[in-house]
């Protein structure tokens, strides 16, 4: 099993095994947005689940996507970077929406909406949509949860931030690990609860005078949305590429 936590080269000098590999390619998570903001979407999650991808004796360039930067004020979080192995590309997670002016971005999983501007959509086969945002009676905004590989992000409700969508488990390393959880939504008003991050590395949202929490690196989790104006959404977590192969006896 070869685990790439950053970009590198996977070199096969001779095909002295079955000639097929099992892969897991997870992109970088999206950053959380600013001001009662939506959580960032998880990085795209792709795996073949079996020894079915054919390789030859050559050098394969491995790209591991970085997590998107979290933002403040009325700025959408940055999208995560794509992760690539051979012909397999996982799309970076969409950045979380900000305030009530900017929608969450599309991505491997979509970034969540802050209030009324729209949520990001996930890529089919890689992730899910972000959740919807809301405002309370005093027009304080709260963000939905970013989409995860295994579930859509939760909608916010009555000013309370939405929970990030759950990730998906893989046992490619020999033990079960959950990857690509969405970031939780932030809430602008003091005393309201921010959303928790999705299982699989999603960062929690910030409540009022708090920053969003950063997604976990090498799980591709989305960053949590920010609380009030001057606070910052969490960065998305970096992705990972894992390649497993079986020796031919």
């Amino acid at each position: 099993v070869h685990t790439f936590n950053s970009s590198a080269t996977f070199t096969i000098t001779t095909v002295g095994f079955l000639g097929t590999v099992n892969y897991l390619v997870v992109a970088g998570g999206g950053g959380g947005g600013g001001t009662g903001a939506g959580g960032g979407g998880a990085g795209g999650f792709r795996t073949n689940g079996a020894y079915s991808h054919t390789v030859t004796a050559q050098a394969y360039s491995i790209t591991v996507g970085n997590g998107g930067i979290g933002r403040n004020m009325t700025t959408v979080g940055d999208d995560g970077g794509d992760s690539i192995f051979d012909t397999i590309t996982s799309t970076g997670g969409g950045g979380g929406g900000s305030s009530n002016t900017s929608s969450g971005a599309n991505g491997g999983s979509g970034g969540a909406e802050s209030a009324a501007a729209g949520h990001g959509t996930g890529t089919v086969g890689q992730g899910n949509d972000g959740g919807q945002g809301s405002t309370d009676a005093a027009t304080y905004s709260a963000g939905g949860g970013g989409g995860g590989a295994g579930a859509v992000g939760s909608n916010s409700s009555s000013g309370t931030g939405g929970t990030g969508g759950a990730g998906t488990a893989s046992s490619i390393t020999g033990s079960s690990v959950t990857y690509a959880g969405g970031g939780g939504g932030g809430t602008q008003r003091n005393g309201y609860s921010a959303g928790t991050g999705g299982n699989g590395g999603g960062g929690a949202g910030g409540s009022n005078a708090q920053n969003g929490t950063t997604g976990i690196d090498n799980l591709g989790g989305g960053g949590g949305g920010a609380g009030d104006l001057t606070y910052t959404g969490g960065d998305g977590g970096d992705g990972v590429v894992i390649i497993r192969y079986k020796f031919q006896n």
Side-chain angles (χ1 to χ4, degrees):
V1 178
H2 296 257
T3 299
F4 297 92
N5 291 323
S6 59
S7 298
T9 301
F10 176 56
T11 302
I12 300 173
T13 55
T14 181
V15 184
F17 55 96
L18 294 178
T20 55
V21 299
N22 178 194
Y23 62 77
L24 173 67
V25 181
V26 179
T35 313
F45 176 102
R46 296 188 66 183
T47 186
N48 57 345
Y51 299 102
S52 61
H53 185 82
T54 301
V55 293
T56 60
Q58 62 173 296
Y60 290 91
S61 178
I62 302 291
T63 300
V64 174
N66 294 325
I69 302 300
R71 299 296 180 180
N72 63 6
M73 305 301 284
T74 57
T75 306
V76 178
D78 290 359
D79 296 343
D82 296 350
S83 289
I84 305 169
F85 162 58
D86 196 20
T87 60
I88 308 302
T89 298
S90 289
T91 304
S98 65
S99 189
N100 59 357
T101 59
S102 301
S103 63
N106 301 333
S109 281
E113 177 184 53
S114 174
H119 61 82
T121 59
T123 301
V124 175
Q126 299 190 30
N128 291 280
D129 296 352
Q132 297 178 351
S134 64
T135 56
D136 65 11
T139 70
Y140 287 95
S141 61
V152 299
S154 297
N155 298 336
S156 63
S157 175
S158 300
T160 301
T163 300
T168 298
S170 170
S171 297
I172 190 170
T173 61
S175 59
S176 181
V177 177
T178 301
Y179 301 85
T187 182
Q188 192 178 4
R189 191 168 192 178
N190 189 33
Y192 282 13
S193 298
T196 57
N199 187 26
S207 179
N208 188 243
Q210 292 178 338
N211 297 322
T213 303
T214 297
I216 297 178
D217 283 341
N218 305 125
L219 295 182
D228 208 353
L229 285 165
T230 58
Y231 295 88
T232 304
D235 297 342
D238 296 345
V240 69
V241 174
I242 302 175
I243 301 169
R244 176 176 177 164
Y245 59 89
K246 185 182 295 185
F247 283 105
Q248 178 70 62
N249 296 319

